[in-house]
Amino acid sequence: MTVALPITEQAKTATIIFDPNNPAASGYTKVFEDQFSGYSLDTTKWSTGWAWSQGAGTNSTYPNDEALPSNIFLKNGVAHFAVTKGPTPSGLRYGSAVATTYGKFAQAYGYWEAGIQMPTNAHGIWPAFWLVPTDFSWPPEIDIMEWLGKEPTVDYMTLHYRENGIHKQVGANFNDKSVSTGYHKLGMLWTPTSVTWYIDGIQRSTTNIGIPTKKMYIILNNDTGGWDGNIVDSTTVFPSILGVSYVRVFKAPSYNVAN
């Protein structure tokens, strides 16, 4: 089971010689891309539902939600991930949206990026863009983005890892009013020695602690809950939409990356 917790450690600061605005100039090769230009989700790249539940829509991390394939729809080159009011077919309070690349794309290391717009009037809504291992072990987990509707100006970036059998995490949060408006380029560089997060092409945090080595796949989801009292209330507007304009992944030919 994956669960995201409040950040307990701040990442160390370092300078990565990598240009997130031009990965190719840094020697990186694009190996995965979806610009959501069709009329429906590309099933050669994505599956709906939770991979560790054999594609089922329910997951104990989100006890009030059921992921519904119909809650993901494409329009004008954007994938819309919706949270809707239930009851769902399983009798849960909210319908949610989840897509994964499990069984279709995974890799270790590289640069991972998506163009994302957060929901509005979304107290209690909990979207995320994250990676977990294909063997369903946990941790590790890399949260490229987590967002809570009760804190619309904050983007959480977290690496979960295990040390001496104990779950730990490291990361940072970026707090700026711009987070809650418009689309943002959310990226993460993962090398054998570091994980570095970028927002709109600017390095926001990096760590050398607990670096994963396993192949991971992508999860994009929009659900409810989280932590710190992020609960749906009378101000929450439904449907609550997370917009994703593209996803791209790059592979490095080597890891001569300074950190």
Side-chain angles (χ1 to χ4, degrees):
M1 180 181 73
T2 58
V3 59
L5 302 172
I7 291 169
T8 56
E9 297 181 76
Q10 292 297 312
K12 295 180 180 179
T13 299
T15 299
I16 303 297
I17 303 172
F18 173 80
D19 183 2
N21 298 302
N22 190 354
S26 303
Y28 281 64
T29 303
K30 190 188 302 178
V31 291
F32 179 92
E33 181 173 37
D34 197 342
Q35 299 188 71
F36 304 110
S37 56
Y39 297 99
S40 60
L41 201 63
D42 185 343
T43 57
T44 69
K45 298 176 180 178
W46 303 96
S47 298
T48 57
W50 298 102
W52 53 78
S53 300
Q54 292 76 52
T58 53
N59 177 353
S60 59
T61 303
Y62 308 95
N64 297 313
D65 302 2
E66 181 179 1
L68 306 175
S70 59
N71 278 23
I72 303 174
F73 61 94
L74 273 56
K75 184 178 180 181
N76 298 326
V78 173
H80 297 72
F81 287 70
V83 175
T84 53
K85 280 190 174 180
T88 71
S90 296
L92 298 183
R93 201 171 299 170
Y94 306 105
S96 61
V98 57
T100 85
T101 63
Y102 177 75
K104 298 176 181 183
F105 175 79
Q107 74 174 24
Y109 314 122
Y111 179 65
W112 311 63
E113 182 184 281
I116 291 177
Q117 183 176 46
M118 305 305 177
T120 56
N121 301 311
H123 200 286
I125 304 301
W126 181 21
F129 169 36
W130 46 310
L131 310 180
V132 289
T134 56
D135 65 3
F136 300 129
S137 60
W138 187 87
E141 170 185 329
I142 303 175
D143 300 313
I144 302 172
M145 175 278 291
E146 280 187 288
W147 182 88
L148 301 177
K150 74 177 290 291
E151 301 172 345
T153 64
V154 181
D155 176 18
Y156 288 91
M157 303 162 283
T158 312
L159 167 63
H160 297 262
Y161 64 100
R162 192 174 299 277
E163 185 177 275
N164 298 323
I166 299 172
H167 166 232
K168 295 187 176 183
Q169 60 192 68
V170 62
N173 62 70
F174 176 71
N175 190 342
D176 189 272
K177 64 181 181 181
S178 66
V179 170
S180 63
T181 61
Y183 279 85
H184 295 278
K185 182 170 67 174
L186 306 178
M188 183 274 299
L189 178 66
W190 169 20
T191 81
T193 58
S194 64
V195 169
T196 303
W197 292 267
Y198 300 88
I199 300 176
D200 295 328
I202 299 172
Q203 181 180 319
R204 304 298 182 179
S205 184
T206 190
T207 185
N208 309 108
I209 300 171
I211 307 304
T213 60
K214 296 181 176 183
K215 285 186 177 181
M216 294 194 179
Y217 66 94
I218 300 168
I219 303 175
L220 279 167
N221 68 293
N222 196 17
D223 282 88
T224 69
W227 63 92
D228 200 25
N230 190 51
I231 300 169
V232 172
D233 63 19
S234 61
T235 69
T236 311
V237 175
F238 292 96
S240 188
I241 304 293
L242 176 77
V244 184
S245 59
Y246 69 88
V247 177
R248 299 182 187 123
V249 184
F250 295 79
K251 184 176 181 179
S254 63
Y255 288 98
N256 296 320
V257 181
N259 56 17

